[in-house]
Amino acid sequence: MGSGQGRVGLGQPWQPSHLLLLIPVALIVVITAADIATGPNIVLGPLLVVAPTLTAWFAGPWTTAGIGVLAMAGEAANGWYAGTLSSRNVMVEVIAIAVLTSLIVVLCAVRDRHARQMARVRSVAKAAQQVVMWPLPSRLGPLRLASVYLASEEEAEIGGDLYAAARTGSAARVMIGDVRGKGLPALGEAALLLGAFREAAHQHTSLPDLAAALERSMTRYLPDLEPEDEVGERFVTALLVEIADAEPLVRMTSCGHPAPLLLGPDNTVTVPRLHPAPPLGVGVPDPDNHAVDVLPFGPGDTLLLYTDGVIEARDHNGVFYPLAERAAQWTDHPPEALLHSIERDLLAHTGGRFGDDVALLAIHRAPIPHPGNHLQHVQRGHAGVSGQ
């Protein structure tokens, strides 16, 4: 059902066309005329309540009330024509239409109020998303980036999944993470880790040092954000990625986060074998606890990072979403088109219902325009990588 001020859909108001009002008005005219034509043996007047009921689907309480008044007028006109306007039957029918119209108007007003509240919540959530998780740049040096975020809670625009990117000298550093929990309650931990990454990414020369710095920040401040019934049970998985401009490689340090997919220009999907450390918030802030996994990442390659909400998404039969299998269809797509295809396919797989927040991040190394560049000669089959 819509609202009188407009239906709220995707956070935007929808103004109904005045032409739609012709439908309930026409119904009133047709039902009244038919009631008069059929005579006293067939009573059609009670059907007039259909007009305000239909109006409430696309209009607000005031318009619905107006159509209800017209419906009562139609019943009164029928009684006047038949000479029974003051009869008990006609009076009861007019009162019944008035009572039902009043109930419809009340429900319409309640619905519109709820719609306005939802619009405000979405507006606040969108503002929080822009403040907490800054939009990623479309380019970082030779890299092209694209991202998708789907919150599991309908009223939220952001939740427990997160990503960020930073340009550090002649390299790019990217982080994707997943807070234990989902929706708005996990926003505090997400904001904490994002703030720590934006500062620490420029201060530490290696990924293990960066991971240890993030661990220190989470250990120091996470207890302040934990609910009393979950003390010591909150943590964040994270994947740290470093891509230098001049090297056909990608370096990664995993803190309990799923390994990304490497999509090659030759329609291959490669799954790296990582050596993950414990999630942030439960480990020890020591660089020696974090391994660095290195794999080839040459021109035309795309690195697809994701949170476990993607691979744990189920269809109505309980089947998990086969990300690697589906992504193999679109390895030649640019980042934006790749994520658009995956998002559309994921929504179709789940019917639009997610049990957890979903985040996807695609990083594509643009081909080098200069022939003979050594980046063009990257060989796959690097140790520590397994095909799928």
Side-chain angles (χ1 to χ4, degrees), residues 104-125:
I104 294 170
V105 168
V106 169
L107 292 176
C108 192
V110 171
R111 180 210 57 210
D112 284 3
R113 180 182 178 184
H114 177 69
R116 289 191 295 269
Q117 290 174 340
M118 288 294 293
R120 285 194 293 268
V121 169
R122 289 192 178 101
S123 177
V124 171

Side-chain angles (χ1 to χ4, degrees), residues 198-219:
R198 290 176 185 131
E199 184 65 23
H202 300 276
Q203 297 180 348
H204 300 279
T205 57
S206 70
L207 290 183
D209 289 335
L210 175 58
L214 297 179
E215 181 66 54
R216 284 192 294 270
S217 295
M218 296 301 293
T219 302

Side-chain angles (χ1 to χ4, degrees), residues 329-341:
Q329 306 174 61
W330 308 298
T331 57
D332 57 342
H333 285 28
E336 297 83 359
L338 169 66
L339 294 191
H340 176 72
S341 298

Side-chain angles (χ1 to χ4, degrees), residues 32-40 73-86 90:
T32 301
D35 200 13
I36 292 173
T38 54
E75 178 60 24
N78 179 40
W80 175 81
Y81 182 85
T84 57
L85 181 59
S86 60
V90 173

Side-chain angles (χ1 to χ4, degrees), residues 298-374:
D301 287 342
T302 299
L303 197 64
L304 181 61
L305 285 64
Y306 57 90
T307 57
D308 58 10
V310 179
I311 55 177
E312 293 178 359
R314 300 171 183 260
D315 63 10
H316 64 280
N317 293 320
V319 178
F320 291 113
Y321 181 70
L323 177 61
E325 175 185 332
R326 300 296 176 84
Q329 306 174 61
W330 308 298
T331 57
D332 57 342
H333 285 28
E336 297 83 359
L338 169 66
L339 294 191
H340 176 72
S341 298
I342 295 176
E343 178 184 7
R344 183 175 54 188
D345 190 55
L346 182 61
L347 289 171
H349 180 84
T350 62
R353 298 181 300 273
F354 299 100
D356 197 0
D357 300 325
V358 165
L360 288 156
L361 177 59
I363 307 173
H364 177 77
R365 188 191 286 274
I368 302 300
H370 305 292
N373 190 295
H374 70 280

Side-chain angles (χ1 to χ4, degrees), residues 16 41 154 225:
N41 294 327
E154 182 181 359
L225 301 173

